[in-house]
Amino acid sequence: MSSLSTKSEISFDMIQGSVLLNELMSRHTSWRVGGPVDYWFVPSDKRDLSRFLNILPIEIPIYWMGLGSNLLVRDGGFRGAVICTHGGLSKLEIRQNNEVYAGAGVACAKLARRTARAGLSGAEFMAGIPGTVGGALAMNAGAFGAETWDLVNEVEIVNRCGDVEKRPRIDFSTGYRNVQLRKNEWFLGAVFNLSPSESITTRNQVLEILDVRLEKQPIGSASAGSVFQNPGNDYAARLIESAGFKGQRVGGAMVSSKHANFIINESNASAADIEELIRIIQVEVCKQFQINLQLEVRIVGVK
């Protein structure tokens, strides 16, 4: 870990948002695990974010997060800065011509509900994504047969120097859970193209998706969403269940008995417990079915 004296040499007096040193990531991840991060920053707005990026020495690594889902921070923590978008980057604006602007920190479920109330359809599936718009853009998150970049018209980008620019959808190559983005660039928000619809119809669709999540996923438990990507024409959950892993544990981490592609922090699990359970599942599924399960969650930090 960087020494506290070294950290103290950096002045954040001009920053309006929250900057914390040695903040435990277990307080901010949906798995409720993770060691300390050198710098934890929640910007007040985009201008504040640009100032922070200018102040932070270029050699310090940066990781971006929203609600802390889809993320496993190891027990040794993260040597660098974590920027949390959920807060100051949460602008949500209904525009003309069926367009919607959503900042990186907007919860996907909020975007689904708000657009449904406005009589716009297309974003209903986002009610099934337990994260923020920034994360959905970065990994082309999807649910119920739809993907984030199906809707994107334009994105807003910030680079390591704090410069902000807008870029059209055509500039990006996207695939299943994959988006090509230049190094040291991150999404600040996006303009989505939606379609007019009867508000009550769209709202009912959102409620149906939320009901399906509640029925089939361990909502309320400490998890990070789907752990593995679905391989080809199969489902990770089916493979994991067929391999006999439902209810299996490593330490305090357990494969959900409700949905096998969810690992829950059932009893004070460590990040090491979760990572070891992930590894065991990958090895056994490959052994039984000759399929290499690819991670959907991101693993960062030191052991």
Side-chain angles (χ1 to χ4, degrees), residues 12 53 94 206 247 265 289 302:
F12 295 107
L53 291 171
I94 308 295
V206 169
N265 182 347
F289 306 107
V302 294

Side-chain angles (χ1 to χ4, degrees), residues 7 73 90 228 264:
K7 295 178 192 176
V73 180
S90 297
F228 300 101
I264 62 175

Side-chain angles (χ1 to χ4, degrees), residues 265-279:
N265 182 347
E266 202 271 337
S267 179
N268 296 316
S270 65
D273 291 340
I274 295 169
E275 190 168 3
E276 177 63 9
L277 185 51
I278 287 171
R279 186 194 67 80

Side-chain angles (χ1 to χ4, degrees), residues 197-241:
S197 176
E198 289 290 334
S199 177
I200 187 64
T201 300
T202 311
R203 288 167 67 183
N204 286 339
Q205 290 173 339
V206 169
L207 290 174
E208 288 173 9
I209 288 172
L210 292 173
D211 286 343
V212 168
R213 282 192 67 206
L214 186 61
E215 178 186 354
K216 295 186 177 181
Q217 299 177 6
I219 305 301
S221 298
S223 78
S226 295
V227 175
F228 300 101
Q229 299 178 20
N230 289 324
N233 296 319
D234 211 333
Y235 293 95
R238 188 197 71 79
L239 293 166
I240 297 166
E241 182 173 356

